[in-house]
Amino acid sequence: KIVRIGVGIDTSRYGHYAVFLRDDLQPAAGELQFMEATDGYAQLRTRLEQIVSKLGTVHFAVRLDVASQYADNLLHFLHALPAQLSNATFTVSCGDPQRNKNYRAALFGSKKSDPIEARAAARYALSERPAPVKMLSAEQRTLRHVASRLQAVVRQRTRLINQFHLLLTSTFPELALLVKDIARGWVLTLCERYPTAKLLAAASAQDLRQLPYLPEKLIDPLLEHARTAIASLEGDTVAELVRDQVRQLRDVRARQLRLEKTLVDAYRQLPDANHLDSIPGIGDVTAAILTAFIRDIDRFQTPNQLVAYFGAMPIEASSGVDRDGKPRAAKRYIMSRRGNDLVRRYLWMAALSAVRYNPA
């Protein structure tokens, strides 16, 4: 007879907590806290061996409460165990954090600790019999790590742009009215050379014509706004703040470009090509990002589930005013903010490209 044992593991950066339950939800062995290290993994293996020695043929239903990517090594360790332990089989599953949280709250209320999380995971493995997680190859895991790093850098760039907007409200607020994208190359060059409205007001039209890519039609409006600006801050200290913000924006943009190249290289090294980049309008970077975060297309039973996972769908927004100070229409649709922000960003850029260059 095969004995089912539920193993719930709450994962964290430095170590994990494991709980072992029988089918009747009673403890099958003592709970175990083990480190994310060779010795800790040896402790887990020893505990599993003791259970097999005591009960005979055992099927371990393992459920991981995953915190970020801290469970990557543990997952690979668990998938290698069936070949190392006789009379033992394994089903290893991972739950999304929200589902695990809801299940734990239903069982234990507001209680929250490593043992509670692990007990909830073990009970879920026994009661719900979740499908096993599909293991990713080393190349797929590398792709995910690069994509996560790119996501962090893109978020950092967004924060820096927002900080730049805030700084300009005191040094040259009119600039944001003339230029939609204040992170463009020529805008950064302009702000580096003339970091305050007062300094720009002292420049001539000929001076501005020396700036690469600055549109001719914006030269006169820039000078006019600078000379009548309502800026409340000026001076050498403020100028240095603006220049420092420009340097940070240039640096983070360069890092983003390097990571995009690294991401595409990792995408090219996947053992099985998925040919997403062959779809017109889907570039190399977008294909790599989609591949990294979809992981396994079979996780999604319908197209709508995939769309909802990334939040790439319209929602109604009808409050506030637009850039021109006019009230927004009663019904206005924008992209949802749910899901993965990096995927939405690159899908949005792909859509803009298709609108411009793909007649269909």
Side-chain angles (χ1 to χ4, degrees):
K1 180 183 177 181
I2 299 177
V3 180
R4 290 180 72 244
I5 298 296
V7 182
I9 304 179
D10 181 56
T11 64
S12 62
R13 177 180 299 173
Y14 301 114
H16 317 295
Y17 196 96
V19 168
F20 311 90
L21 297 181
R22 302 194 308 253
D23 243 339
D24 60 1
L25 304 182
Q26 296 303 307
E31 299 179 0
L32 175 67
Q33 186 167 19
F34 61 100
M35 299 301 294
E36 173 72 0
T38 303
D39 292 344
Y41 281 28
Q43 288 178 319
L44 175 61
R45 176 175 172 172
T46 299
R47 184 61 53 86
L48 297 174
E49 288 174 338
Q50 291 171 349
I51 294 174
V52 172
S53 175
K54 178 181 178 181
L55 300 178
T57 303
V58 177
H59 177 77
F60 292 104
V62 185
R63 178 74 170 179
L64 271 62
D65 185 20
V66 178
S68 185
Q69 295 179 6
Y70 299 143
D72 277 1
N73 296 327
L74 183 57
L75 277 171
H76 281 261
F77 173 79
L78 291 170
H79 275 82
L81 278 180
Q84 303 171 20
L85 292 181
S86 57
N87 298 326
T89 56
F90 289 79
T91 298
V92 182
S93 67
C94 294
D96 64 86
Q98 188 60 49
R99 176 172 295 182
N100 288 347
K101 178 181 178 181
N102 293 342
Y103 190 82
R104 186 259 304 160
L107 291 177
F108 300 102
S110 60
K111 297 179 181 178
K112 187 180 186 302
S113 65
D114 291 349
I116 293 294
E117 301 279 4
R119 289 168 200 160
R123 292 181 62 144
Y124 190 96
L126 290 171
S127 304
E128 305 300 326
R129 298 176 181 264
V133 64
K134 184 176 179 180
M135 282 302 300
L136 299 177
S137 67
E139 293 83 2
Q140 288 173 309
R141 292 170 62 206
T142 300
L143 181 69
R144 283 184 60 204
H145 279 287
V146 179
S148 296
R149 186 60 191 154
L150 175 61
Q151 185 175 31
V153 169
V154 169
R155 287 174 176 172
Q156 182 184 12
R157 183 168 183 259
T158 300
R159 286 194 295 269
L160 288 172
I161 291 173
N162 291 337
Q163 292 170 7
F164 195 31
H165 267 291
L166 182 61
L167 190 56
L168 288 175
T169 58
S170 299
T171 60
F172 188 15
E174 292 82 359
L175 179 60
L177 300 177
L178 294 172
V179 183
K180 185 176 181 180
D181 182 8
I182 63 169
R184 296 184 66 177
W186 69 263
V187 178
L188 296 180
T189 302
L190 175 73
C191 291
E192 181 181 40
R193 192 169 299 182
Y194 308 104
T196 64
K198 183 176 181 180
L199 292 174
L200 180 58
S204 65
Q206 187 59 34
D207 293 331
L208 295 192
R209 289 190 180 94
Q210 305 303 314
L211 300 182
Y213 306 109
L214 194 161
E216 177 73 26
K217 64 180 181 180
L218 289 181
I219 291 178
D220 289 338
L222 280 170
L223 291 174
E224 180 180 349
H225 279 290
R227 290 162 185 163
T228 60
I230 59 171
S232 57
L233 290 179
E234 57 183 53
D236 294 341
T237 302
V238 174
E240 180 54 32
L241 282 178
V242 174
R243 291 191 174 107
D244 179 70
Q245 196 73 20
V246 168
R247 287 192 293 269
Q248 291 188 64
L249 281 168
R250 284 176 171 163
D251 176 66
V252 76
R253 176 58 178 164
R255 290 166 60 199
Q256 179 180 341
L257 293 175
R258 288 196 299 270
L259 280 170
E260 286 179 348
K261 182 181 183 304
T262 303
L263 184 75
V264 172
D265 291 342
Y267 175 66
R268 299 291 181 214
Q269 293 171 13
L270 292 178
D272 299 312
N274 59 19
H275 307 295
L276 272 180
D277 54 333
S278 67
I279 300 174
I282 300 294
D284 295 343
V285 178
T286 304
I289 289 172
L290 286 170
T291 302
F293 288 104
I294 288 175
R295 299 201 302 273
D296 177 16
I297 194 66
D298 293 330
R299 294 194 302 144
F300 307 97
Q301 312 219 347
T302 66
N304 284 344
Q305 288 183 0
L306 180 61
V307 170
Y309 178 72
F310 287 134
M313 52 193 177
I315 60 173
E316 183 180 346
S318 57
S319 63
V321 297
D322 59 20
R323 288 172 55 86
D324 299 322
K326 299 178 181 178
R328 288 173 176 164
K331 284 191 176 182
R332 174 174 170 269
Y333 291 91
I334 62 173
M335 187 183 292
S336 166
R337 294 186 179 182
R338 291 184 295 174
N340 188 288
D341 54 348
L342 187 69
V343 173
R344 289 200 313 273
R345 173 186 294 271
Y346 282 85
L347 282 179
W348 177 257
M349 297 306 297
L352 291 182
S353 176
V355 167
R356 291 187 62 184
Y357 300 111
N358 187 330

